[in-house]
């Protein structure tokens, strides 16, 4: 639209064309106000019934809520208007009328349940609160990219249609690929590892992962966004350093550049950038601390996976982001390297928010023979992964990396109850459309 002025940019004295949605009509009798909303905010349009052209006033008054309108006019100062200015219109056009029955109320005055909101996401995202989540999400992705670039990592994109899964098994979505069975990739793990042996050496990827999680939970999606990092000549501690820096960079960027969005979400005052180093607890310390909280009926012993209630109890106890390191090898995937001199102890780590796991990572097994053994120990057929294992015979450096759940980062950062709030169109057990 030629010469369109955003609501937030309308200055007194200017002649403007504003365009957006009818947020509200306030009819006070002799005078009425049409509130027009665009992506930058709202602006008041004054309708004086006796003084202005009848047709103009009627067009304004008859416009249904959420219709798309264009208004030409002069901007005047008006201290009583929400933004301190108002438009005195010379022309109003209804570009796209909205039906009067709306599936949800974008003004937010009438609340809607999450399923209704997700069914009508377009309308839902006309609300400041819902929109703020995605403005922040965009800023997080920008900041994360910039942080990776500052670490000299190269952004890559790896295939999402694959012949074999990363960890085999149950979480794979099968598809038909020209008559053959294929799968949606559950992680870029193997591809990003192959890149550390290439001339690129240090890489990151932000892309979809697909997991056929059987159950609906507030923190699992069937299609999620994974933020992955992998570097040649890194050990697990160096990978953790980068992980911590990237997460802090995301918080800092939001703190600096998303004040209005944090206000819209009602968390501007309590929003905190994590300060200081994330504590690094060993798995052994973690289970001792969980046991000491008394949150579990049965005491955890070495080799147990951490149950969700255990994670919660520990998270409450620690009270900030933290790492869990030195896991038992048997509960970490085959591609994670063991500590030198102790095959039972893995270099795998998780990075936790007090509410949940955000990251899994570790140093990787780069020795061909040991890698093949790992496949066999985990009951996987190494031949199915030959495209991957083969490259470990041609000069694969030691390397380490991690994967961070993008939606979990946003969810915990903004204290959202449900991970679906952080995805435009979530995929879960019940939801395949829109
Ligand atoms: P969890 O045990 O919480 O289900 P995981 O250990 O199976 O997660 P990983 O394979 O370690 O997950 O994946 C790395 C990260 O990707 C996780 O820490 C998490 O942040 C994110 N992630 C994994 N699966 C999902 C999912 N189904 N939905 C959203 N995020 C996910
Ligand atoms: Mg994990």
């Amino acid at each position: 639209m030629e010469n369109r002025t955003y609501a937030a940019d309308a200055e007194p004295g200017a002649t403007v064309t504003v365009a957006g949605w009818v947020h509200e009509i306030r009819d006070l009798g002799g005078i009425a106000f049409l509130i027009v909303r665009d992506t930058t905010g709202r602006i008041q349009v004054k309708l004086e019934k006796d003084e202005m052209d009848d047709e103009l006033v009627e067009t304004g008054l008859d416009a249904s809520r959420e219709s798309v309108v264009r208004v030409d006019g002069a901007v005047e100062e008006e201290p009583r208007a929400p933004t301190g200015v108002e438009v005195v219109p010379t022309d109003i056009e209804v570009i796209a009328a909205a039906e009067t029955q709306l599936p949800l109320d974008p003004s937010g005055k009438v609340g809607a349940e999450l399923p209704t909101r997700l069914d009508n996401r377009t309308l839902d995202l006309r609300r400041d609160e819902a929109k703020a989540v995605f403005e922040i999400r965009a800023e997080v992705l920008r900041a994360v990219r910039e942080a990776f670039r500052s670490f000299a990592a190269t952004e890559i994109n790896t295939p999402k249609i694959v012949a074999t899964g990363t960890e085999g098994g149950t979480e794979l979505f099968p598809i038909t690929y020209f008559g053959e069975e294929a799968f949606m990739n559950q992680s870029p793990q193997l591809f990003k590892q192959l890149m550390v042996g290439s001339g690129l050496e240090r890489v990151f990827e932000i892309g979809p992962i697909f997991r056929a999680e059987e159950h609906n939970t507030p923190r699992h999606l069937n299609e999620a966004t994974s933020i992955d990092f992998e570097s040649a000549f890194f050990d697990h501690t160096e990978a953790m350093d980068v992980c911590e820096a990237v997460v802090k960079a995301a918080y800092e960027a939001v703190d600096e550049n998303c004040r209005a969005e944090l206000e819209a979400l009602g968390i501007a005052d309590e929003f905190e950038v994590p300060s200081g180093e994330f504590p690094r607890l060993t798995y052994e310390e973690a289970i001792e601390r969980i046991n000491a909280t008394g949150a579990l009926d049965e005491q955890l012993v070495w080799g147990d996976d951490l149950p969700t209630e255990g994670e919660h109890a520990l998270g409450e106890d620690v009270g900030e982001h933290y790492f869990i390191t030195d896991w038992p090898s048997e509960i970490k995937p085959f591609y994670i390297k063991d500590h030198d001199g102790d095959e039972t102890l893995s270099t795998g780590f998780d990075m936790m928010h007090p509410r949940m796991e955000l990251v899994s990572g570790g140093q990787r097994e780069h020795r061909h023979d040991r890698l093949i053994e790992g496949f066999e120990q985990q009951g996987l057929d190494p031949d199915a992964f030959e495209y991957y294992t083969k490259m470990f015979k041609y000069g694969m450096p030691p390397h380490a990396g991690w994967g961070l759940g993008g939606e979990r980062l946003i969810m915990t950062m903004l204290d959202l109850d449900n991970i679906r709030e952080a995805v435009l169109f979530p995929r879960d057990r019940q939801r395949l459309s829109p």
Side-chain angles (χ1 to χ4, degrees), residues 338-377:
D338 298 333
H339 279 282
D340 290 327
D342 188 352
E343 275 188 18
T344 65
L345 201 61
S346 118
T347 64
F349 62 83
D350 281 2
M351 197 277 279
M352 315 289 294
H353 178 274
R355 289 175 65 194
M356 72 192 74
E357 175 191 321
L358 298 184
V359 174
S360 282
Q363 188 175 339
R364 319 305 190 182
E365 183 52 75
H366 68 283
R367 297 160 297 186
H368 181 264
D369 297 348
R370 302 292 288 268
L371 188 65
I372 299 288
E373 279 171 30
F375 270 99
E376 283 161 354
Q377 272 163 19

Side-chain angles (χ1 to χ4, degrees), residues 212-276:
E213 312 275 4
E214 283 295 326
H215 304 291
N216 275 330
T217 83
R219 62 194 165 89
H220 287 96
L221 295 161
N222 294 109
E223 177 173 356
T225 308
S226 187
I227 300 171
D228 273 89
F229 173 78
E230 201 70 29
S231 178
F233 305 105
F234 260 31
D235 66 15
H236 60 295
T237 63
E238 291 165 302
M240 285 192 274
D241 293 343
V242 172
C243 174
E244 186 170 326
V246 166
V247 168
K248 283 180 177 166
Y251 271 84
E252 275 159 17
V254 170
D255 190 49
E256 223 173 283
N257 304 323
C258 302
R259 295 317 302 181
E261 287 78 11
L262 293 172
E263 291 285 351
L265 289 164
I267 53 169
D269 294 338
E270 61 259 37
F271 189 80
E272 256 180 68
V273 178
S275 61

Side-chain angles (χ1 to χ4, degrees), residues 119 173 210 222-223 425-434:
D119 286 344
F173 281 115
F210 303 90
N222 294 109
E223 177 173 356
F425 299 106
R427 292 289 169 258
D428 65 27
R429 204 54 218 262
Q430 269 86 44
R431 190 169 285 277
L432 186 54
S433 173

Side-chain angles (χ1 to χ4, degrees), residues 162-169 172 183 185-187 189-191 193-194 334-335 368 371-372 374-376 378-393:
V162 294
T164 50
T166 307
E167 281 138 82
L172 284 167
F183 301 95
N185 206 2
Q186 62 195 161
S187 159
Q189 180 64 34
L190 305 187
F191 293 111
Q193 281 190 261
L194 290 176
F334 66 87
Y335 51 76
H368 181 264
L371 188 65
I372 299 288
F375 270 99
E376 283 161 354
Q378 223 151 83
L380 293 168
D381 174 14
D383 291 345
F385 295 87
E386 207 211 344
Y387 72 93
Y388 166 75
T389 55
K390 195 168 72 179
M391 293 303 145
F392 287 69
K393 293 195 280 192

